[in-house]
Amino acid sequence: EVLGNKRKWQTSRRDSISAQLPPPQQRQVEELSHRGTSTWLTSLPLQEHGFTLNKLEFRDAIAIRYDLPVLGLPRTCACGKTNSLEHCLSCTRGGYVHLRHNQLRDLTANLLEEAGCKDVTVEPRLLPLSTETFQLRSAITGDDARLDVAARGLWSPMERTLLDFRVFNSLAPSNATFSVTQALDKHEQEKKRCYGERVIQVEKCSFTPVVLSTAGVMGNEADKLYKQIARRLATRTNQSYDDCIRYIRQRISFSLIKTLVVSRRGFRGTRCERVQKDTDLNLLYSKQNLIY
């Protein structure tokens, strides 16, 4: 009862303070109040698990968390727009948006293997369509379609599960009109409309959209997924479920915060011309010898 009263007081105190803030900061407080967004701050700095940040990364992570100015950054991005937090989390220059996605994808694939799932593959191709049709016009029908991760034995023995990931920027204008919970649900439904029907009818397996915000807030499907991985990991390692789910949340939290720090301070310019796929490197080497 005492603990319950304390939590009610903390919630009311947070709400009263949040009501005095500007709308963007109100949304930020709402997002940071969700479970998992502060895990990296309360974890022991265990280097073997990647739970470490150097002093510059830690300062940048705090600045990102509370939308504070980051010292040493240009005012303008390489793309020409203002170098704000909202922009750097969405800017496609430098490949940092894909980096966030790929880091979470690869981390989850590793966790599935640790939990004892079989046939874990990254970017599995979907079966090509012949005469199949779908009710939803938004369904992906291309023969080159692929999802992010496949695994067997996650929900039931020998059942194949396909996962597709999305880490969205909750500060982006397209998400700013929704609450964090509504934005998570919106992105989950988009994934289901694109792939759910095809996976169930053609692949004959289950589909789980894994949606997280850049702060680490999980959608309902992602929360169920990682809890199931934690249960399997606890059974396999004889550890408690609480320890396993905490370990998973810590790895996800540090993976996300490191990619956010890189996207905030990472280089987005062009240092040199890219080598084209059809370039003959032997010919380039021969030309250099002739010049010198």
Side-chain angles (χ1 to χ4, degrees), residues 19-69:
Q20 303 173 17
L21 299 174
Q25 293 183 358
Q26 288 183 14
R27 180 181 177 79
Q28 200 165 8
V29 170
E30 177 203 356
E31 185 172 16
L32 294 177
S33 64
H34 283 76
R35 178 183 298 172
T37 57
S38 304
T39 305
W40 64 274
L41 278 171
T42 59
S43 301
L44 293 175
L46 303 177
Q47 190 169 2
E48 60 180 319
H49 297 297
F51 300 164
T52 55
L53 299 170
N54 62 37
K55 57 184 179 182
L56 179 62
E57 291 172 336
F58 184 80
R59 285 198 295 265
D60 287 351
I62 293 294
I64 291 171
R65 178 178 174 85
Y66 298 110
D67 197 12
L68 301 174

Side-chain angles (χ1 to χ4, degrees), residues 152-163:
R152 289 189 183 273
L154 174 62
W155 302 108
S156 60
M158 291 304 297
E159 180 190 16
R160 192 167 184 249
T161 302
L162 291 172
L163 312 176

Side-chain angles (χ1 to χ4, degrees), residues 53-96:
L53 299 170
N54 62 37
K55 57 184 179 182
L56 179 62
E57 291 172 336
F58 184 80
R59 285 198 295 265
D60 287 351
I62 293 294
I64 291 171
R65 178 178 174 85
Y66 298 110
D67 197 12
L68 301 174
V70 178
L71 301 178
L73 292 183
R75 295 183 179 180
T76 306
C77 179
C79 68
K81 296 183 179 180
T82 303
N83 196 14
S84 63
L85 174 61
E86 180 273 319
H87 172 72
C88 79
L89 296 182
S90 301
C91 183
T92 56
R93 294 288 292 270
Y96 301 115

Side-chain angles (χ1 to χ4, degrees), residues 36 39-40 43 49-53 57 61 96-111 165 167 212-216 218 226 247-263:
T39 305
W40 64 274
S43 301
H49 297 297
F51 300 164
T52 55
L53 299 170
E57 291 172 336
Y96 301 115
V97 174
H98 294 293
L99 177 66
R100 280 200 304 269
H101 170 276
N102 294 345
Q103 284 291 108
L104 182 63
R105 176 200 65 193
D106 296 342
L107 170 60
T108 305
N110 291 335
L111 290 172
F165 292 81
V167 183
L212 287 83
S213 74
T214 49
M218 297 183 185
Y226 291 114
Y247 164 73
I248 290 172
R249 286 180 177 144
Q250 286 173 330
R251 292 191 63 179
I252 293 172
S253 181
F254 273 95
S255 174
L256 288 175
I257 197 63
K258 286 181 179 180
T259 57
L260 294 186
V261 169
V262 171
S263 66

Side-chain angles (χ1 to χ4, degrees), residues 184-185 188 209-213 217-224:
L184 288 165
D185 184 64
E188 281 186 352
V210 187
V211 178
L212 287 83
S213 74
V217 185
M218 297 183 185
N220 289 330
E221 298 288 342
D223 188 52
K224 294 176 184 178

